[in-house]
Amino acid sequence: MVTMTAVLGVMAVGLGLVLTPGPNMVYLVSRSVAQGRTAGLVSLGGVAAGFAVYVVAVAAGLGTVFTLVPAVHTAVKLAGAAYLLWLAWKAVRPGGTSPFDTGAPASDPPRRLFTMGLVTNLLNPKIAVLYVSLLPQFADPARGPVAAQLLVLGLAHVAVAVAVNGLIVLGAGGVAGFLARRPGWRRAQRYVLGTALAGLALALARPAAP
């Protein structure tokens, strides 16, 4: 039903998206730096639950909307590209910040950590815009029910997002300390992320081949 090419495509694009700075990364890094890896992993559980909500939402109807009204799909893609360009500007502008430039918020209990991870993901405009525009591009109505394809593709995306975010949680403390001692590296990291964001924005905005 779903080709391996489509699955790998979703995983590759998902990898690029999860490595770009946004609310999820900032929240996970901040909790990991402030409270340790366990707190970061609990927060990641909430973020993963948020991804699951988006998968169900897309499979339940958004794919049908995009198929019936192609203009909506195009509008969502352009909105996602514009948002990525805005994130790129935030990263490279003078005085821009890195997701590893975090403070030390007060400690929170596990239930609050999970809930905040869930809410952060659900209210994340990057996910809300880009996630619903990514999966339908890899679904092919000729290969069977679109909803089932979107579910499989969504699970592939979630697997990549959770795995990469887990590595970010485990390495956040060390990376934050490394960058804090080396302002030049921190500045370079911002420019690398900004360039990646701009590249993804251009790829997302590119018209589909006829």
Side-chain angles (χ1 to χ4, degrees):
M1 181 173 61
V2 178
T3 66
M4 184 56 66
T5 300
V7 172
L8 293 177
V10 167
M11 295 178 74
V13 176
L15 178 61
L17 294 178
V18 76
L19 290 176
T20 60
N24 286 346
M25 182 183 289
V26 172
Y27 179 69
L28 292 173
V29 170
S30 67
R31 300 322 309 172
S32 301
V33 172
Q35 287 186 243
R37 292 176 176 175
T38 299
L41 292 174
V42 173
S43 301
L44 176 58
V47 170
F51 279 122
V53 171
Y54 278 113
V55 170
V56 173
V58 172
L62 288 177
T64 300
V65 173
F66 288 153
T67 300
L68 296 178
V69 189
V72 175
H73 189 192
T74 300
V76 171
K77 287 179 62 177
L78 293 178
Y83 182 70
L84 277 176
L85 287 175
W86 179 65
L87 287 176
W89 167 243
K90 285 184 62 178
V92 302
R93 69 182 179 183
T97 59
S98 162
F100 292 97
D101 293 335
T102 59
S107 297
D108 290 320
R111 179 177 296 181
R112 179 172 174 78
L113 291 171
F114 182 92
T115 301
M116 287 303 298
L118 171 63
V119 172
T120 297
N121 201 11
L122 290 179
L123 299 183
N124 185 350
K126 172 181 160 185
I127 302 300
V129 173
L130 298 181
Y131 197 73
V132 297
S133 67
L134 167 66
L135 299 187
Q137 297 183 53
F138 292 90
D140 182 1
R143 299 189 64 85
V146 172
Q149 293 184 56
L150 292 176
L151 182 61
V152 173
L153 294 170
L155 291 176
H157 177 272
V158 172
V160 171
V162 172
V164 174
N165 277 315
L167 294 176
I168 290 173
V169 166
L170 296 177
V175 173
F178 176 86
L179 294 176
R181 296 189 299 271
R182 297 168 176 81
W185 280 82
R186 187 166 64 246
R187 186 164 51 251
Q189 181 249 1
R190 289 197 293 109
Y191 283 113
V192 169
L193 289 175
T195 301
L197 280 166
L200 286 170
L202 294 176
L204 186 62
R206 183 175 55 198

